[in-house]
Amino acid sequence: EDFFVEIKTHFEGFASWAWAVGQQKIDALKIMIRPDDGEIIAHQIDCHAAAILPPVTAGGGVPNNPDNTAVMRQLTASLSKASEETANANQLTREILGLKKEKKE
């Protein structure tokens, strides 16, 4: 909840600044954000942990609730399908290489 309050505060400040720049009441500022800056990386990790990652349980895994179970099933099915398709692609590549080798001989 604090995360969203902080976003709203920043958004309101940005909206006020953008309006003032648009009305030429203040000069626009130019800033450059370095994505490899230590503070930005730390902030990104903190925000990710707070807003995206599920809480870690004593078991060390994803909490066992129906929503997560469904997501895990989908991920498992996707990985299985990707693995099958990779095996098919590898087989086709072997066949193509075999044909090229025969053509050379």
Side-chain angles (χ1 to χ4, degrees), residues 10 13-14 22 26 33 38 50 59 61 64 67 72 81-82 91:
H10 286 292
F14 173 76
I26 61 172
I33 298 174
N64 190 16
D67 293 336
M72 295 306 282
K81 182 68 174 171
Q91 181 60 36

Side-chain angles (χ1 to χ4, degrees), residues 72-84:
M72 295 306 282
R73 275 195 215 115
Q74 288 176 344
L75 288 173
T76 301
S78 295
L79 288 172
S80 296
K81 182 68 174 171
S83 178
E84 290 170 15

